[in-house]
Each structure stands twice: as structure tokens, then as C-alpha cells.
Amino acid sequence: MDNQTIKTTVLIPHYNNLEGLYKSLESISSHPKVRVLIVDDGSRAEQRPGEAELQKRFGQKMELVLLLNEQNRGIEHVLNQGLEYILRHFPDCPYIARLDCGDICHPERFAIQERYMDEHPEVALLGSGSIFMTTKGKLFTL
């Protein structure tokens, strides 16, 4: 993938939710111009993502980077580790997006957000709406 075209790196913290991670990655796979950084927070062996499996399933659709931690330190440490990695290794990537493991993206999320940020350089932080589903199937929006 041509790094020059990547404007957004998506940071996904992961802990013992391999099925949710795959669901999130599948929803991102329609966004060919993003890089995904997965930071595992010491998941159990059977829930730990493997580099080979990730590349096999998603490597043709997106650029993937995987960081594995041996022990669980908490999401705030994992997010800071991911931010530091992005700033050090991808200094020319102007946007960092965040996605919780198991969440699903709208097909145009990153394109819409990139366009908005490009058109409004005074904006430093941008959020998005969310639709939630209760365990009983009821939907609500924030």
C-alpha cells in the first residue's frame, strides 16, 4: 500500500476479544486509505491476535500493524503506547482515529472525517455519532 495516500491511522486497543477485533477490521476493510494499529493489552493466548492470521484475512485490504504486550496494563496505557508509536513511526500521517474493539464503522466514516478535517483546519478534534444496541435489541443514538 502506498503510504503517501494514507491520511488516517486507526488505533484499536484489544484485550481478549478476537471475534470483536475481526468484526471491527471487517467494517474498516472498505476504507483502503487507512492504516490500522492494533495494540493488544496482554490477552490470553487463545484470544491474542496473530500477525500471520491478520495479514491473511485483512492484509490485502489495509495496512496493519500489531503491537503485543505481555501483560495487561489497562486501556489508558495501551492508548498512550499506540499514540506514541504512531507519532514516532508515521509522523506524516495527519489524522489518528480511535475505534473500540468490537465496534463497527460506517462505510464512509473516515472519508467523511478526513474531508471535514481538510476543509476545517482550525478543528483539532472531531467526534462522530454512535448508534447503540441494548442486549434486548433496542437501538438508541448518541
Side-chain angles (χ1 to χ4, degrees), residues 4-42:
Q4 300 298 80
T5 63
I6 294 177
K7 294 173 84 172
T8 300
T9 299
V10 181
L11 174 56
I12 302 177
H14 174 264
Y15 182 68
N16 289 333
N17 186 4
L18 201 52
E19 185 178 322
L21 176 63
Y22 292 155
K23 182 169 45 169
S24 294
L25 291 173
E26 190 61 45
S27 78
I28 296 172
S29 67
S30 66
H31 301 278
K33 294 185 179 182
V34 298
R35 172 187 303 109
V36 177
L37 172 61
I38 302 160
V39 184
D40 180 80
D41 194 19

Side-chain angles (χ1 to χ4, degrees), residues 19-133:
E19 185 178 322
L21 176 63
Y22 292 155
K23 182 169 45 169
S24 294
L25 291 173
E26 190 61 45
S27 78
I28 296 172
S29 67
S30 66
H31 301 278
K33 294 185 179 182
V34 298
R35 172 187 303 109
V36 177
L37 172 61
I38 302 160
V39 184
D40 180 80
D41 194 19
S43 294
R44 294 185 315 269
E46 68 276 5
Q47 287 294 315
R48 184 172 284 235
E51 183 78 34
E53 180 65 20
L54 288 172
Q55 290 301 329
K56 178 181 170 186
R57 290 178 76 158
F58 302 102
Q60 299 297 319
K61 300 174 184 177
M62 67 187 80
E63 181 181 329
L64 290 166
V65 178
L66 174 63
L67 302 179
L68 298 172
N69 291 298
E70 291 301 315
Q71 65 181 27
N72 180 271
R73 298 180 305 147
I75 193 167
E76 63 278 2
H77 294 284
V78 168
L79 291 174
N80 284 328
Q81 178 186 6
L83 288 172
E84 289 170 8
Y85 186 93
I86 292 166
L87 294 173
R88 190 174 332 111
H89 291 88
F90 312 116
D92 296 331
C93 186
Y95 306 127
I96 300 171
R98 166 97 158 68
L99 184 65
D100 281 325
C101 190
D103 286 358
I104 298 170
C105 281
H106 181 279
E108 297 295 318
R109 174 190 171 184
F110 301 117
I112 292 167
Q113 289 178 322
E114 285 177 3
R115 188 169 44 254
Y116 186 88
M117 294 297 284
D118 288 344
E119 293 170 359
H120 298 88
E122 72 281 6
V123 174
L125 183 66
L126 180 64
S128 61
S130 297
I131 299 172
F132 294 89
M133 181 182 293

